[in-house]
Amino acid sequence: MSGLIPQQFVENLLDRIDLAELIGSRITLKKAGANYKACCPFHDEKTPSFNVRPDKGFYHCFGCGAHGDAISFVREFEGLGFTEAVEELAKRVGLEVPYDQAAKQEIQQARTLTDALDFASRFYHSALQGQQGTYARDYLKQRGLDSTVIERYQVGYAPSTGTALFDVASKDLQGPLIETGTVSDKYGRPRDLFRNRVMFPIRNSRGKTVAFGGRTLGDDKAKYINSPESDVFHKSREIYGLFEAKQAIRQLDKLLVVEGYMDVIALAQHGIDYAVATLGTATNQDSLTALLRQVRHIVFCFDGDQAGFRAADRAMENALELMADGLHLQFLMLPQGEDPDTLVRKEGPEAFQKRIDGATPMSRYLFDRQSEGLDLQLPEHRGELRARVEPMLNKMPRSTLRDAMWHEMLRLCGGRNQWQNRQQGQQKGKWYGERRDRVTEERIDVKLSKDSILCLALLEAPDLATEVKELAASSRQYNQARNFAGWILEKAVRDRKSLVRGLALDNAARERFYHLFDGIEHIPARESTLAAARELLSPNEEASRQLRLATLLRNLSNLTTEERQELRALSSGTRD
């Protein structure tokens, strides 16, 4: 709806906003000359890197890259949409947003629906306190909930009579209640959708009720039912408990995603205030996007049965396309037969918090799950692991995380199986929030073509271009290196920084050398690359000795007796 607000009004609004005052009302700012500094509200940091420029009308974080104006800040900090953010700022400076007539009608309609749903929420909450809510109160008390948490989440009760809500609603609210599906007229007469159920209001980021979840107190076939989708409720985009979490923790840095309403409330009852629940049977990309708008660290918590693992797998697969550097996803699988509600009451909040702290990172969860049932001693099973994992990694956007996971896949599929040789006790506890020692990783030695070695050496040390070109002139096997060296000499490139800048800014060079390193899955260390290139450029006994010595030293902890003897001989400058 942002296009329905005149751009001139938006610009005028931003001119009237004192950005330092706006941001300073939400976080602590310190004066730094004409500007202000603070610890960034959008990521964890100890040294302030968040800068506010009131004179320029923008903020910028040098840590996480967050950048924008007053509207951007309110959207990110409060979790609002564009229109809501503009309204919030307009109210702050005493302006009215000049919507066109169609937009005004649409907004008014949405407000009418949420007003009706807020009325229903108050009715259900009041019914819980009345005589007819006795059984519901007993049920909630049995589940361990006190009046404070019931009030915080506005838990209510829907009476068993078929038209209790409809009968108390005014004429102007009855229509909206039918429109949202809270009251049904499917059979030609009004009938409340929720009857004899404990009610959980689902509130949006501004605290307005947009839907309900209801848990039966009888023997209904459906234990839980939700409101149908409407103009104000889209199941895949709403997060239950997010409003309450933000009220409890002003600057959320982490969310624990659980499966049910009672799980969220039970955890809050025990002081774990950052639990939320997605709506529906799976965490899809819409709900993940909604979560990632709020925080960059998410812990998924699922029951430890087969259904829980399937749900975790779906959440992981949906997350792959959204993963970027700086995002942190973990998975906590609970013991079979337990859910957060039962477990936190059984073992207490401190023990449950330890499980959260020890949750499995997404990268480890992916490899653990995909390698189940495989014996990585066998080449066939290592091939099977790669066939399973590689398509998943290809879904991820290019990032350091993707590269690291790719290298982990190569390590596991390369026959180095210490990762798999864990004690049975470690295997048994790997999913359940117990900390594990980091696996010792081995360096991957990769054989590259001589042409590729020379190209990599040129990337690291462009001053080798003359020697490379002279070598390439005498052989047809160095075509790429010859072309690359020729371009470096033509452009008079002297150092790596100038080389990278030239490749980035020169369109012709970028197109010419864009695929130069496509066939290389792992880039060796700079020292190894230059040593190998030097051996090609001026082969001699000393260069060979140095290259072999570097190789042995790199794998010092794994040397055989013969290799150790060779190392001693090479170190003294002689060969046996």
Side-chain angles (χ1 to χ4, degrees):
M1 198 179 292
S2 60
L4 299 174
I5 301 175
Q7 182 62 30
Q8 185 61 45
F9 175 81
V10 173
E11 293 173 1
N12 182 37
L13 176 64
L14 291 174
D15 287 341
R16 292 185 179 221
I17 294 292
D18 184 329
L19 188 62
E21 181 186 355
L22 171 71
I23 296 178
S25 67
R26 289 161 169 81
I27 64 174
T28 302
L29 294 178
K30 291 185 178 180
K31 199 87 164 66
N35 306 323
Y36 295 84
K37 278 192 167 187
C39 287
C40 182
F42 304 122
H43 81 287
D44 293 329
E45 63 175 5
K46 295 180 180 179
T47 304
S49 59
F50 184 80
N51 288 259
V52 180
R53 296 284 304 270
D55 57 328
K56 302 293 184 181
F58 71 82
Y59 61 87
H60 181 81
C61 176
F62 291 97
C64 69
H67 180 93
D69 55 22
I71 296 174
S72 303
F73 182 84
V74 173
R75 290 188 67 180
E76 292 297 320
F77 192 84
E78 303 289 350
L80 304 179
F82 178 86
T83 302
E84 292 172 321
V86 170
E87 285 192 333
E88 182 80 18
L89 293 174
K91 189 186 303 181
R92 187 181 182 91
V93 296
L95 295 177
E96 183 177 350
V97 181
Y99 297 107
D100 63 27
Q101 194 59 36
K104 283 183 178 179
Q105 290 176 357
E106 187 177 340
I107 292 170
Q108 185 56 48
Q109 170 70 0
R111 287 174 177 164
T112 301
L113 297 181
T114 55
D115 286 346
L117 292 166
D118 278 337
F119 169 80
S121 179
R122 293 192 297 272
F123 169 76
Y124 292 139
H125 188 61
S126 176
L128 178 66
Q129 315 305 323
Q131 184 175 357
Q132 56 192 338
T134 303
Y135 182 67
R137 289 197 303 275
D138 291 343
Y139 168 78
L140 294 173
K141 185 177 181 181
Q142 186 180 24
R143 297 293 296 265
L145 303 187
D146 62 24
S147 58
T148 301
V149 78
I150 289 173
E151 186 69 27
R152 175 179 165 189
Y153 285 87
Q154 287 293 291
V155 181
Y157 169 68
S160 55
T161 53
T163 58
L165 173 63
F166 185 80
D167 290 342
V168 299
S170 61
K171 293 292 184 183
D172 59 333
L173 291 179
Q174 288 177 347
L177 287 174
I178 292 174
E179 190 173 341
T180 59
T182 314
V183 174
S184 172
D185 62 350
K186 184 176 179 180
Y187 300 104
R189 57 187 178 83
R191 184 170 175 79
D192 294 351
L193 175 64
F194 301 98
R195 302 181 297 279
N196 192 32
R197 290 179 179 270
V198 174
M199 298 299 292
F200 304 95
I202 300 167
R203 295 190 274 190
N204 65 15
S205 58
R206 304 196 74 180
K208 302 293 288 183
T209 307
V210 295
F212 295 96
R215 199 260 188 217
T216 184
L217 292 174
D219 56 359
D220 299 56
K221 185 176 181 180
K223 184 177 178 181
Y224 280 93
I225 61 173
N226 291 327
S227 297
E229 295 209 349
S230 67
D231 287 345
V232 293
F233 175 55
H234 304 283
K235 184 169 62 176
S236 62
R237 302 177 198 166
E238 298 297 338
I239 309 296
Y240 178 74
L242 181 59
F243 172 75
E244 291 80 4
K246 292 177 71 174
Q247 293 294 109
I249 306 173
R250 192 59 186 169
Q251 293 185 30
L252 277 174
D253 59 359
K254 176 167 63 178
L255 286 174
L256 176 69
V257 181
V258 296
E259 295 187 82
Y261 305 116
M262 280 300 299
D263 293 328
V264 172
I265 298 175
L267 290 169
Q269 170 82 60
H270 288 82
I272 300 175
D273 294 312
Y274 54 92
V276 297
T278 56
L279 306 177
T281 57
T283 306
N284 57 31
Q285 286 196 349
D286 284 341
S287 53
L288 275 167
T289 301
L291 289 165
L292 292 172
R293 285 198 198 102
Q294 307 299 325
V295 295
R296 299 176 70 79
H297 184 180
I298 298 172
V299 180
F300 292 103
C301 179
F302 294 100
D303 300 348
D305 54 17
Q306 286 303 312
F309 275 102
R310 285 195 297 270
D313 291 344
R314 287 195 297 271
M316 178 192 66
E317 290 177 16
N318 285 324
L320 289 175
E321 293 182 27
L322 303 176
M323 290 304 296
D325 290 336
L327 299 184
H328 187 27
L329 268 59
Q330 292 176 278
F331 291 84
L332 171 58
M333 309 306 297
L334 301 183
Q336 286 202 28
E338 301 285 1
D339 56 34
D341 178 16
T342 60
L343 194 57
V344 74
R345 286 191 280 129
K346 180 183 296 184
E347 65 181 20
E350 290 185 5
F352 197 92
Q353 183 63 53
K354 286 182 180 179
R355 290 182 181 274
I356 298 171
D357 295 338
T360 305
M362 186 198 77
S363 57
R364 178 56 57 203
Y365 178 85
L366 184 149
F367 288 112
D368 281 350
R369 284 290 283 165
Q370 296 307 312
S371 63
E372 284 187 353
L374 300 180
D375 179 1
L376 297 186
Q377 299 274 15
L378 299 174
E380 294 87 349
H381 286 204
R382 295 198 295 272
E384 173 64 22
L385 177 62
R386 179 160 185 165
R388 294 178 184 181
V389 172
E390 189 168 348
M392 302 177 77
L393 300 188
N394 286 335
K395 292 181 180 180
M396 298 176 65
R398 290 188 176 275
S399 63
T400 303
L401 173 63
R402 179 181 182 271
D403 292 344
M405 291 178 68
W406 189 273
H407 293 158
E408 175 74 347
M409 178 188 71
L410 295 177
R411 185 180 74 84
L412 295 176
C413 297
R416 296 173 173 87
N417 62 325
Q418 68 268 41
W419 167 84
Q420 191 184 30
N421 294 336
R422 300 175 180 175
Q423 297 296 325
Q424 289 300 314
Q426 288 178 308
Q427 282 285 348
K428 183 178 179 181
K430 69 182 177 181
W431 301 114
Y432 305 125
E434 300 172 8
R435 291 192 179 277
R436 300 176 302 282
D437 292 336
R438 183 186 177 100
V439 176
T440 302
E441 298 187 2
E442 296 182 16
R443 180 183 295 274
I444 303 171
D445 288 323
V446 180
K447 294 186 182 300
L448 300 177
S449 70
K450 294 179 180 180
D451 202 9
S452 294
I453 289 173
L454 291 175
C455 288
L456 284 172
L458 288 170
L459 185 64
E460 297 291 349
D463 55 314
L464 294 175
T466 301
E467 295 177 70
V468 170
K469 189 174 181 181
E470 289 175 357
L471 174 66
S474 63
S475 174
R476 295 181 180 179
Q477 63 179 318
Y478 304 127
N479 288 334
Q480 289 183 318
R482 181 173 57 251
N483 292 335
F484 197 24
W487 178 81
I488 291 172
L489 293 171
E490 177 187 338
K491 298 297 182 181
V493 175
R494 300 297 183 190
D495 53 61
R496 191 179 193 281
K497 185 176 180 181
S498 301
L499 175 64
V500 173
R501 185 187 301 114
L503 290 174
L505 300 179
D506 187 328
N507 290 334
R510 188 164 62 247
E511 291 180 9
R512 185 177 174 187
F513 300 115
Y514 186 80
H515 300 287
L516 191 60
F517 302 111
D518 277 3
I520 302 176
E521 292 182 340
H522 176 81
I523 296 178
R526 182 177 190 273
E527 294 76 11
S528 299
T529 298
L530 294 178
R534 180 55 62 190
E535 172 66 11
L536 291 172
L537 292 170
S538 54
N540 56 56
E541 185 177 342
E542 175 58 18
S544 298
R545 188 182 73 83
Q546 292 291 342
L547 182 60
R548 180 59 178 161
L549 185 62
T551 301
L552 292 173
L553 288 173
R554 194 164 61 245
N555 296 293
L556 184 61
S557 60
N558 298 316
L559 295 182
T560 64
T561 303
E562 292 77 15
E563 287 173 332
R564 289 184 181 278
Q565 292 174 351
E566 182 184 6
L567 176 62
R568 283 194 293 272
L570 290 172
S571 299
S572 64
T574 62
R575 258 190 185 277
D576 290 338

